Amino acid sequence: MNIRTVSLPRRGFLLGLAAGGASLGLAGCGFELRKPPVFAFKSIAVSGNSALINQVRRNLRAAGTVTLLPGDDKSAEAVLDILGEDRERLVVSTNSAGLLREIQLVLKVRFRLHAQGGKDLLAATELMQTRDLTFNETNALAKEGEADLLFRDMQIDIAQQLVRRLGAVKTL
């Protein structure tokens, strides 16, 4: 019985070759991490005060490529107006006794981006997120807290989508 062993340096070489081949295969696939958006404007005014608007401001600051100004500042190149923010709870299903079993949470946000002169850069646009939530009467308080967390998650998602939409504007 002849058993052949591979020496440690050769084993390391083979492992390195296998890892290098895998990284070369991924290098050509086009995968790229998301970069901060490049805006067509250098400054933006965002008016209002809500949890969603504050999240949009945080995302704009985090992008680091635009100056964020107060909503009443007339020197801003672009102005973001949040036209509406609606939260809804829709009944999806009930049991045979008519008690609530499942609800759908809906968050709709309407916004508009315009230049300081009034030219529309983005016409009135609506973004919408939905989440389903099972419901049980015995733990209604916990489900109310879960609904608040889901609404907060939807706000974060919509704020990120909104900033990406602002980044899609190419000209003033």
Side-chain angles (χ1 to χ4, degrees):
M1 179 176 242
N2 189 2
I3 299 175
R4 187 171 181 190
T5 61
V6 178
S7 66
L8 282 176
R10 187 171 175 193
R11 191 178 300 157
F13 172 74
L14 291 175
L15 286 174
L17 184 62
S23 65
L24 285 176
L26 286 177
C29 74
F31 175 77
E32 185 178 2
L33 292 175
R34 184 177 291 152
K35 295 178 183 175
V38 177
F39 299 104
F41 41 86
K42 300 293 180 220
S43 60
I44 185 170
V46 181
S47 60
N49 190 17
S50 72
L52 175 80
I53 293 171
N54 291 334
Q55 186 65 42
V56 169
R57 286 186 181 121
R58 268 187 233 113
N59 289 352
L60 287 169
R61 277 190 206 102
T65 57
V66 67
T67 304
L68 191 61
L69 300 173
D72 56 354
D73 197 331
K74 301 296 181 198
S75 64
E77 292 180 18
V79 177
L80 176 65
D81 292 327
I82 303 295
L83 304 173
E85 187 178 337
D86 298 323
R87 291 179 172 208
E88 296 177 7
R89 293 171 189 245
L90 305 172
V91 175
V92 175
S93 65
T94 58
N95 64 11
S96 60
L99 298 174
L100 187 61
R101 279 288 159 236
E102 188 175 0
I103 59 174
Q104 185 176 53
L105 306 174
V106 180
L107 178 63
K108 295 178 187 176
V109 175
R110 289 182 43 83
F111 69 95
R112 171 180 168 241
L113 181 70
H114 60 92
Q116 200 57 262
K119 176 185 171 190
D120 269 351
L121 302 175
L122 279 175
T125 305
E126 181 176 90
L127 296 175
M128 183 175 77
Q129 289 273 319
T130 61
R131 300 284 191 275
D132 292 332
L133 178 67
T134 59
F135 193 81
N136 189 348
E137 294 80 21
T138 58
N139 53 1
L141 189 59
K143 288 298 181 177
E144 188 63 33
E146 185 178 353
D148 289 341
L149 287 173
L150 289 172
F151 272 123
R152 192 174 316 136
D153 182 51
M154 289 189 287
Q155 282 179 342
I156 291 169
D157 285 350
I158 285 180
Q160 290 171 349
Q161 286 181 31
L162 197 148
V163 170
R164 286 194 296 272
R165 295 271 177 113
L166 297 180
V169 174
K170 297 300 177 198
T171 60
L172 290 178

